[in-house]
Amino acid sequence: MAGGGWSSLPADLLTDISGRLSSDADHLHIHQVCTHWRASTSRPAACRPWVVTGRGRSGLEPIGEYSLRLPRGGARKLEVAAAPAGLPYCCGASRGWLALVDDAQSPTRLVLWEPLSSTEISLPCLSPLTRIFISDDPLTSSDWIAIAAQIKGEIGQKTLFWRPGDATWTMLYEPGTCQIDTLVFNEGKAYYIDTMRNIIICDFNTGSVPSPRCTRIFHACTVVNKLCRCHRLHPARGVHLVVCKGELLLVVLYLGSHPWPAEVYKPVWTPNQRLELHERVRDLGDHSLFVSRGDAFALSAKEFPAIKRNCIYSADIPWNKAYWISVFNLDSDVVEEIPYPDNILGPYAWFCPRKPFLKQS
């Protein structure tokens, strides 16, 4: 280093140092020092996505005090701007925003918060409230929708929706479902699956009609369980919908020693409101899917080089083991498990923040 100073640090040393950083700000700073440092370190986006961790409650309540962690390196906590005061509970991680409330049982304040810019958007508060989803990034789109899940009966949930400018929430699907596993938006429609594997399709492309048209697809679990043709039945432990490159896909995660621990299919809806799965997807190209209870999305390994291509990353809470992140490789059908230390909270949902501005020197 004597000849060139800090700019001559070995590339492998810079790579090792940058791999120990946890905050976007630190990654951004080390990336901007000089051309050599920038060439030897990953862009901040390489550390994404993050994982929202919580107390791992299994009921209909929001999780406890939230935190953001990298799904690697001992699940280190990330340094981000301080959250709005008085909002210690998270009830949603969607499109780079966290939905925060002031109380887990009877909230009176609901705020969408973007951690990198510290932008806050107040929404009319519902009580009780279980989860919030949004269709798009409010900082880049004026035509976004929020969907809220609310308790109905002993184990059910009903859904409501809200658009910017609305004074109150509007009922979306009052008949209700069981607890929502996954909700995704695609081409003006919202698709969600409950824990009983029922699929509800809410079509917002209805012009001036105040409420979307909702279609319920019953018993998706029956169709999914028929996929297994082994000598022993391997029921699905998780079924998720996710949008990849503009196309809706259905992800099946199996229990037990199934030859394929995870499969991806293109769903087809019949005129008589049934689900059919014909074409199995084995190659996602450069993309990988991130599924959990809540938001599900696809990311490109070219844009996020820290992730592997053609994989399914699952943050589901397992039934009989410690918390982990499971990575299913569709090329080899191999499962990699990333365990969490015993002294931290378990994974709750995937969270991919908005990209920070990268100054080029």
Side-chain angles (χ1 to χ4, degrees):
M1 190 179 75
W6 290 105
S7 62
S8 64
L9 282 175
D12 57 347
L13 180 58
L14 287 170
T15 301
D16 181 67
I17 293 173
S18 65
R20 299 172 185 271
L21 303 176
S22 61
S23 73
D24 265 348
D26 289 340
H27 277 277
L28 184 60
H29 293 155
I30 198 173
H31 195 74
Q32 294 176 345
V33 170
C34 64
T35 303
H36 172 58
W37 282 38
R38 183 161 55 252
S40 304
T41 56
S42 299
R43 295 164 61 94
C47 297
R48 313 251 179 80
W50 302 346
V51 175
V52 181
T53 60
R55 297 188 184 279
R57 297 180 182 179
S58 58
L60 301 178
E61 303 170 350
I63 64 169
E65 293 80 357
Y66 62 87
S67 59
L68 299 173
R69 297 180 181 271
L70 291 170
R72 60 179 178 84
R76 292 189 299 274
K77 188 173 181 178
L78 291 162
E79 298 175 8
V80 296
L87 299 169
Y89 297 95
C90 175
C91 61
S94 186
R95 304 288 178 168
W97 294 71
L98 297 178
L100 307 178
V101 291
D102 57 350
D103 187 83
Q105 302 292 334
S106 302
T108 61
R109 186 181 171 206
L110 169 62
V111 170
L112 294 179
W113 177 60
E114 201 282 299
L116 295 181
S117 66
S118 292
T119 302
E120 300 177 30
I121 299 177
S122 295
L123 302 183
C125 190
L126 295 169
S127 182
L129 178 65
T130 60
R131 200 180 292 264
I132 295 288
F133 304 87
I134 59 176
S135 64
D136 212 336
D137 182 356
L139 292 181
T140 60
S141 172
S142 59
D143 188 26
W144 58 279
I145 302 168
I147 290 182
Q150 212 176 15
I151 293 175
K152 178 182 176 68
E154 292 294 328
I155 61 172
Q157 290 187 356
K158 59 184 178 181
T159 51
L160 305 94
F161 74 96
W162 180 91
R163 289 186 173 101
D166 290 351
T168 60
W169 292 81
T170 301
M171 187 62 63
L172 178 62
Y173 192 69
E174 190 170 13
T177 66
C178 292
Q179 183 179 359
I180 296 175
D181 253 358
T182 302
L183 191 150
V184 297
F185 296 86
N186 188 43
E187 297 182 347
K189 297 179 181 180
Y191 301 79
Y192 64 90
I193 302 179
D194 67 9
T195 53
M196 295 301 292
R197 311 293 192 255
N198 296 305
I199 299 176
I200 293 82
I201 305 174
C202 305
D203 189 353
F204 287 86
N205 301 307
T206 52
S208 59
V209 178
S211 296
R213 183 175 65 254
C214 296
T215 303
R216 182 165 180 166
I217 310 296
F218 290 95
H219 310 307
C221 61
T222 304
V223 179
V224 169
N225 287 338
K226 288 182 179 178
L227 295 173
C228 178
R229 296 178 175 86
C230 303
H231 63 283
R232 289 183 57 191
L233 175 65
H234 295 88
R237 74 171 176 88
V239 179
H240 303 273
L241 287 170
V242 59
V243 176
C244 181
K245 296 180 287 188
E247 187 172 33
L248 188 68
L249 302 175
L250 187 139
V251 178
V252 183
L253 309 178
Y254 289 102
L255 278 172
S257 56
H258 191 272
W260 302 280
E263 294 179 332
V264 182
Y265 289 88
K266 294 182 179 180
V268 176
W269 322 112
T270 66
N272 59 348
Q273 301 182 7
R274 291 182 179 275
L275 168 67
E276 293 184 357
L277 302 174
H278 300 294
E279 182 180 351
R280 181 180 173 188
V281 179
R282 298 176 181 269
D283 189 0
L284 301 169
D286 291 316
H287 284 72
S288 285
L289 309 180
F290 291 79
V291 298
S292 66
R293 287 192 172 179
D295 208 21
F297 48 82
L299 295 178
S300 168
K302 289 184 177 179
E303 189 175 5
F304 299 87
I307 68 175
K308 299 178 180 179
R309 63 169 296 279
N310 205 33
C311 289
I312 300 171
Y313 287 73
S314 170
D316 280 343
I317 297 176
W319 294 347
N320 59 351
K321 294 185 179 180
Y323 295 115
W324 65 50
I325 299 296
S326 299
V327 184
F328 305 91
N329 191 310
L330 294 180
D331 288 325
S332 61
D333 292 321
V334 172
V335 181
E336 175 189 358
E337 295 175 356
I338 306 175
Y340 269 63
D342 293 336
N343 60 344
I344 73 165
L345 306 173
Y348 164 68
W350 288 110
F351 178 67
C352 189
R354 304 175 75 251
K355 300 174 190 175
F357 173 74
L358 291 177
K359 179 180 177 182
Q360 299 297 326
S361 58

